[in-house]
Amino acid sequence: MKTETLIEEALHLLREGIDDTAIIACSGGIDSSVAAVLAHKAVGNLLHCVYVDTGLMRLGESEEVKSMFSDMGIEITVVDAASRFFDCLEGITDPETKRKAIGETFIRVFEQEQLKVGAKYLVQGTIAPDWIESGGGERDVIKSHHNVGGIPDDIGLEIVEPLRDFYKDEVREIARLLGIKSSERQPFPGPGLAVRVLGEVTPKRVQTCRVACDIVERMIREASEAGTCDMPWQYFAALLPVRSVGVHGDVRVHGETIVVRAVSSMDGMSARYSDIPSEVLSRISTEITNTLKGQVNRVVYDITHKPPGTIEWE
Ligand code: XMP
């Protein structure tokens, strides 16, 4: 189907489905951004866009999301909840417990915003693979009970899912046509950098990971633009819970370890590690240890396919 027709279809469903205040959680990711822009086109100021700053986003990401929406003339409420997220993560090292703590905190923060605006509807950017992978269900656009998007059944809102029948490539086309800047960004996990900081998630360790991630993203992008390496599907850094001995001047120091991960994949279900040329890896390693001098003294490259590994480390 033509992209223009898909857009018309989604706008029609949104106009039919929403007759009162609606709310959407925008992460800056492609699905929620497309859903928000379409819903804003369909119902204008009935829609409240909320961006929860978890303190776990990539370098400059919160600013980018704010300016992306303001450039499109859409008002977005930014909730600075970083301290709530770091508080809820205190002392947790188990990956599943971390994810649960983040999910619950997100819901509580979002609930507060919902009560402030008195929303009746929740717009979500659920796309077809999300609910197919979650066990299917009715192909309704408006459902009051489900939790595929991470917001639980008992939140008391009617769910509106304008992209429910669409696939990722269709959503990307819609984003391109609507001029949504996030359309070409690489995937980023919902729980953010928390799943790339192995061990305890503290503001300092998240910042270390954030800086290393930014270096990996920037240097691989530059290398692929220069034709030195193929563009991976996803590429980032994670901070390991391993300290090792290194030298700083004449002194032996105990420092942190960064792992660089880059994979090729079609859909994230399976993946192969990318063959990044050693001179690019070498430049990345030097840049990370120079920028994070005194904190990180070892950089390793992950050569594991999925399966048996996963793309993220947690
Ligand atoms: P794994 O690590 O399972 O990741 O091989 C496959 C893809 O999914 C992303 N990912 C997530 N995306 N919420 C998301 O929206 C999550 O909790 C989450 N965990 C992993 C990961 O970045 C990769 O692209």
Side-chain angles (χ1 to χ4, degrees):
M1 211 186 290
K2 272 179 69 181
T3 308
E4 287 84 352
T5 316
L6 295 178
I7 293 176
E8 278 314 311
E9 212 174 76
L11 289 175
H12 176 73
L13 293 167
L14 284 157
R15 287 194 194 106
E16 293 283 298
I18 300 176
D19 59 2
D20 205 335
T21 308
I23 191 165
I24 181 166
C26 300
S27 63
I30 179 163
D31 302 340
S32 66
S33 299
V34 168
V37 172
L38 289 173
H40 184 260
K41 273 188 190 301
V43 301
N45 292 338
L46 278 182
L47 181 75
H48 290 263
C49 298
V50 175
Y51 173 76
V52 177
D53 188 344
T54 59
L56 303 167
M57 310 305 281
R58 288 171 284 192
L59 198 70
E61 190 156 21
S62 296
E63 289 67 30
E64 274 171 34
V65 175
K66 280 180 241 171
S67 69
M68 173 175 89
F69 279 92
S70 82
D71 289 351
M72 291 189 292
I74 300 176
E75 214 175 290
I76 185 159
T77 303
V78 178
V79 186
D80 178 1
S83 59
R84 282 183 70 171
F85 281 89
F86 283 115
D87 285 351
C88 87
L89 287 165
E90 207 178 320
I92 300 177
T93 55
D94 175 67
E96 271 317 297
T97 316
K98 258 185 210 176
R99 280 175 180 268
K100 285 211 178 80
I102 291 170
E104 274 160 25
T105 304
F106 188 90
I107 289 157
R108 297 286 88 83
V109 171
F110 192 70
E111 231 168 14
Q112 278 182 350
E113 295 309 306
Q114 169 215 338
L115 292 174
K116 276 187 205 159
V117 298
K120 179 173 171 200
Y121 298 99
L122 173 68
V123 180
Q124 299 218 95
T126 316
I127 62 172
D130 297 338
W131 64 265
I132 293 168
E133 281 171 18
S134 307
E138 290 172 61
R139 287 169 74 90
D140 289 345
V141 166
I142 300 170
K143 292 186 88 230
S144 42
H145 296 291
H146 91 130
N147 59 8
V148 171
I151 310 271
D153 298 354
D154 64 5
I155 196 159
L157 293 168
E158 280 189 55
I159 313 265
V160 184
E161 296 175 323
L163 312 179
R164 195 171 159 78
D165 284 338
F166 299 171
Y167 287 85
K168 200 78 183 185
D169 55 332
E170 294 172 321
V171 177
R172 280 194 193 285
E173 275 309 312
I174 297 175
R176 268 184 215 124
L177 209 78
L178 297 175
I180 299 172
K181 277 194 257 159
S182 75
S183 60
E184 307 301 339
R185 269 186 24 196
Q186 60 165 321
F188 186 60
L193 294 175
V195 297
R196 295 182 180 171
V197 171
L198 282 81
E200 194 177 359
V201 181
T202 62
K204 183 167 181 227
R205 299 192 78 226
V206 168
Q207 182 60 11
T208 302
C209 180
R210 178 181 286 129
V211 169
C213 256
D214 185 61
I215 291 170
V216 171
E217 287 196 17
R218 182 165 42 81
M219 297 190 84
I220 288 187
R221 208 182 319 116
E222 282 169 9
S224 70
E225 279 165 12
T228 322
C229 77
D230 292 335
M231 188 66 144
W233 187 75
Q234 199 170 2
Y235 43 105
F236 56 89
L239 179 64
L240 300 186
V242 174
R243 296 178 81 85
S244 71
V245 174
V247 280
H248 193 181
D250 293 336
V251 188
R252 287 163 74 82
V253 287
H254 212 199
E256 303 245 41
T257 309
I258 285 288
V259 60
V260 177
R261 181 78 164 136
V263 295
S264 60
S265 176
M266 292 295 287
D267 50 12
M269 302 297 279
S270 64
R272 295 187 69 76
Y273 78 81
S274 299
D275 223 344
I276 305 290
S278 58
E279 72 267 19
V280 177
L281 289 175
S282 172
R283 282 204 298 273
I284 290 173
S285 164
T286 305
E287 183 74 9
I288 289 175
T289 47
N290 280 347
T291 309
L292 294 165
K293 202 171 265 169
Q295 288 176 64
V296 173
N297 62 359
R298 200 167 294 270
V299 178
V300 297
Y301 187 59
D302 183 348
I303 51 166
T304 321
H305 303 307
K306 173 184 179 177
T310 48
I311 296 175
E312 304 288 345
W313 272 55
E314 279 193 348

